[in-house]
Amino acid sequence: MEFCALCWMGLENAAEQELSARKLHAEKIRKVRQLIGEGKRKVFFEADPDADTLRQLGTVEDVYAVIASSRNPGDMKGLARMVERALGSETLHAALNLERAVSGRAKAARFEPMITIENRSDMRRRELRDTLLTGVDKKLPKWRRTRRDGIGLWLDIHGPRAMLCVRLVSRRSGKRRDLPGALPASVAYSMIFLTYPWQGEVFADPFCGSGTIILERLRFADASAILGGDADGKAVRTAAENLARTPFVPVRLDATGLPLPDGSVDAIVANPPWGEKHDAKNWTADRLADLYEVFAEEAARVLRHKGRLAIITTAAKSMDSALKNRRAFTISKCFVVNCLGLRPHVFIALRK
């Protein structure tokens, strides 16, 4: 079966690496440089995965089973024929069985129609929605439309290409309290993934905010110790609420003076303040630069030899300067991610 995963622009390589690591037919992965709505990319792969493997994918936001695709379905009548064939196919039933295994839901008769259209001037979103709804009425007459908690049916048109998919996984449905500037879960997971976490490591997030990075680290192999906290008391309380069902308790701490011995940490993953995410009066460019300089020095102190640092910010020049000024880090990766309506840089650095 063919699948389509959506990831934030800039995380395609991380998604490809994770798919390969999970042995999802890595040789058949193909990246398609098409943007979807909020700045996401499509990554296609062919596999016969089990439900657990799909649930464990962390670098992507959504995963869909492709039940029909066409390089050129022609006009609306041709598209309607493609939709009706797909909704009566064995591929649909296989996708629905997999969706139930992933979600744990009983056999459902409710669906959410989703439409995306790019680079096609002769089709309108309303026409596409009506085509999908008509196809469901004909082939699945017992199904009822809903706005939430239904089976996602996604009709996507990009230029001459068309595809119809069933949503299997969505990482946007978590019941988590977020603070302004909180990272999407898949971005936090990808940053951790790119530090190659291992069982027994000592992990730290000194700008924990609402706790997203800590929550994502708990999805990996057990660390021997995790330190997470924030200088903001409200952030610590919010993180504690989000982490209430875990054994982890965030603490109030100063990232520029960590309560840790020298060379005691294996990995630091952090989402420090950005100018665009905070009150500009409080976080000027100069103040951010000063914060990054002091934090880089503290990170160099507590990280072991070959310890890993992953950090995200829109103030890329200040962060690059702070890491290079220490002469204690080698920047192994630096790339732009499209998220939160911004284009922050992610730095992956190795302690010399």
Side-chain angles (χ1 to χ4, degrees), residues 1-3 23-25 28 45-49 54:
M1 185 180 291
E2 185 178 34
F3 298 86
K23 297 181 172 56
L24 293 177
H25 290 218
K28 294 185 179 179
F45 61 99
E46 294 181 19
D48 184 20
L54 291 175

Side-chain angles (χ1 to χ4, degrees), residues 22-92:
R22 297 191 186 280
K23 297 181 172 56
L24 293 177
H25 290 218
E27 71 279 1
K28 294 185 179 179
I29 295 171
R30 58 186 178 92
K31 291 182 289 186
V32 178
R33 297 192 176 280
Q34 296 176 357
L35 287 177
I36 299 295
E38 303 166 322
K40 296 188 179 72
R41 298 280 196 187
K42 298 173 184 172
V43 179
F44 291 91
F45 61 99
E46 294 181 19
D48 184 20
D50 57 34
D52 285 341
T53 300
L54 291 175
R55 276 194 294 263
Q56 289 166 8
L57 289 173
T59 57
V60 298
E61 286 283 296
D62 307 277
V63 181
Y64 295 84
V66 180
I67 61 172
S69 63
S70 173
R71 292 189 176 184
N72 189 359
D75 57 12
M76 292 301 299
K77 289 183 179 179
L79 184 64
R81 288 192 293 270
M82 185 198 84
V83 168
E84 290 180 20
R85 283 197 300 269
L87 294 177
S89 68
E90 290 298 320
T91 306
L92 171 68

Side-chain angles (χ1 to χ4, degrees), residues 118-335:
E118 302 281 346
N119 300 333
R120 190 70 185 257
S121 60
D122 61 329
M123 292 183 177
R124 298 289 180 267
R125 185 181 299 273
R126 185 170 182 175
E127 293 177 319
L128 295 173
R129 183 194 62 192
D130 290 344
T131 297
L132 179 57
L133 295 179
T134 300
V136 172
D137 286 342
K138 287 183 178 180
K139 296 296 182 178
L140 302 164
K142 293 183 179 180
W143 281 31
R144 295 293 178 263
R145 182 182 175 187
T146 183
R147 291 188 176 183
R148 56 183 299 179
D149 299 328
I151 294 171
L153 287 181
W154 176 32
L155 179 59
D156 174 61
I157 308 295
H158 193 103
R161 293 176 176 267
M163 68 177 183
L164 182 62
C165 306
V166 173
R167 184 178 60 205
L168 304 176
V169 176
S170 177
R171 301 205 67 199
R172 293 173 290 179
S173 58
K175 297 178 180 178
R176 187 185 68 193
R177 278 194 62 197
D178 280 336
L179 296 171
L183 292 178
S186 64
V187 176
Y189 185 100
S190 297
M191 291 172 63
I192 299 166
F193 179 80
L194 292 172
T195 66
Y196 304 105
W198 47 274
Q199 188 169 2
E201 72 176 7
V202 177
F203 179 90
D205 173 13
F207 298 99
C208 78
S210 55
T212 304
I213 289 174
I214 299 297
L215 280 167
E216 294 305 305
R217 178 59 186 84
L218 294 172
R219 298 182 62 191
F220 289 88
D222 291 343
S224 63
I226 296 177
L227 173 69
D230 204 288
D232 185 339
K234 181 181 178 181
V236 173
R237 291 190 295 274
T238 303
E241 183 177 330
N242 288 330
L243 291 158
R245 295 186 179 182
T246 76
F248 180 80
V249 179
V251 297
R252 193 161 185 174
L253 56 78
D254 180 0
T256 63
L258 295 172
L260 294 167
D262 295 358
S264 60
V265 177
D266 297 295
I268 296 174
V269 178
N271 175 26
W274 310 349
E276 291 87 344
K277 297 193 307 180
H278 295 268
D279 185 348
K281 182 178 179 180
N282 291 330
W283 287 108
T284 62
D286 288 343
R287 190 178 174 203
L288 278 177
D290 291 343
L291 171 66
Y292 293 171
E293 288 285 346
V294 179
F295 171 67
E297 184 172 353
E298 186 67 356
R301 180 185 71 81
V302 301
L303 279 171
R304 293 190 176 111
H305 173 58
K306 294 188 178 180
R308 293 94 62 211
L309 170 67
I311 196 161
I312 184 169
T313 178
T314 51
K317 290 184 179 179
S318 295
M319 183 59 69
D320 183 75
S321 175
L323 294 175
K324 289 179 178 177
N325 286 346
R326 301 281 73 74
R327 297 184 180 179
F329 291 102
T330 299
I331 299 174
S332 59
K333 289 185 177 72
C334 179
F335 56 91

